[in-house]
Amino acid sequence: MRRIGLAALILLAACSRGAAPTENKSAKTATGLEAAAIQAGVIPDPNDTDITGLYARDTDRVCIVPAANAYRIGVYVAYDERENCGGSGTATRSGENVHVEMDGAEGCGFDARFEGDRLVFPARVPDACQKICVHRASMAALDVDRLSESVSEASTLRDGKGRLLCAPAG
């Protein structure tokens, strides 16, 4: 009798499970706790938040400011005075994806992920991105948090040589 009860319990548990949820990669919407937190205003909705701002973590910095039909982006990754990356480019946004194209490094284009107040670069960036880096420095896996949403603060970001990184292209 005990075996029949255990088998019935296992069968009942198996039947009550729904199908595994599928994720639509092109239009990700928040679910569960994330959706509740967004609705309560605890965390920002990445799809409704502007990417403009100054981002940082340790010695790494990113600026993003509006430009005609896109954004200007500046990246400065400093391992030390001798090993760093610094450059400017354009960024376009589609949902949580931010496509980055770096100036002066043809072929250095990749998709970063925007998570509300955080910007995450991919773990692998094209080899062409090494053109804006010195020695073994890399922009790969750069992960920065937004410090400010101010255009004027973001516009003041400079690289190790003192160049403004989010100045208009020209």
Side-chain angles (χ1 to χ4, degrees), residues 1-156:
M1 187 72 171
R2 196 171 221 196
R3 283 186 181 174
I4 294 173
L6 183 58
L9 186 59
I10 291 171
L11 246 171
L12 183 60
C15 290
S16 67
R17 284 191 178 162
T22 58
E23 183 177 328
N24 180 351
K25 298 277 186 191
S26 63
K28 185 177 177 186
T29 56
T31 59
L33 288 175
E34 183 181 11
I38 289 169
Q39 185 175 6
V42 175
I43 61 172
D45 184 347
N47 294 319
D48 292 338
T49 306
D50 187 24
I51 62 174
T52 299
L54 179 63
Y55 298 76
R57 177 161 297 156
D58 296 325
T59 59
D60 303 335
R61 304 280 186 264
V62 173
C63 59
I64 301 176
V65 297
N69 301 323
Y71 293 89
R72 288 296 296 160
I73 186 168
V75 179
Y76 184 61
V77 177
Y79 293 5
D80 59 34
E81 312 79 49
R82 296 178 320 152
E83 294 194 39
N84 57 67
C85 299
S88 299
T90 58
T92 53
R93 180 176 178 197
S94 177
E96 68 178 17
N97 292 324
V98 177
H99 184 73
V100 176
E101 292 282 338
M102 299 304 293
D103 298 341
E106 189 174 330
C108 180
F110 54 88
D111 289 331
R113 194 173 66 249
F114 178 67
E115 298 176 347
D117 278 332
R118 184 172 165 222
L119 188 64
V120 181
F121 283 25
R124 295 179 67 95
V125 295
D127 291 340
C129 296
Q130 198 58 37
K131 293 175 187 171
I132 64 168
C133 296
V134 179
H135 298 292
R136 296 183 313 176
S138 173
M139 295 187 306
L142 177 64
D143 185 343
V144 289
D145 298 308
R146 185 170 10 208
L147 299 178
S148 169
E149 295 179 10
S150 168
V151 172
S152 60
E153 285 184 65
S155 297
T156 64

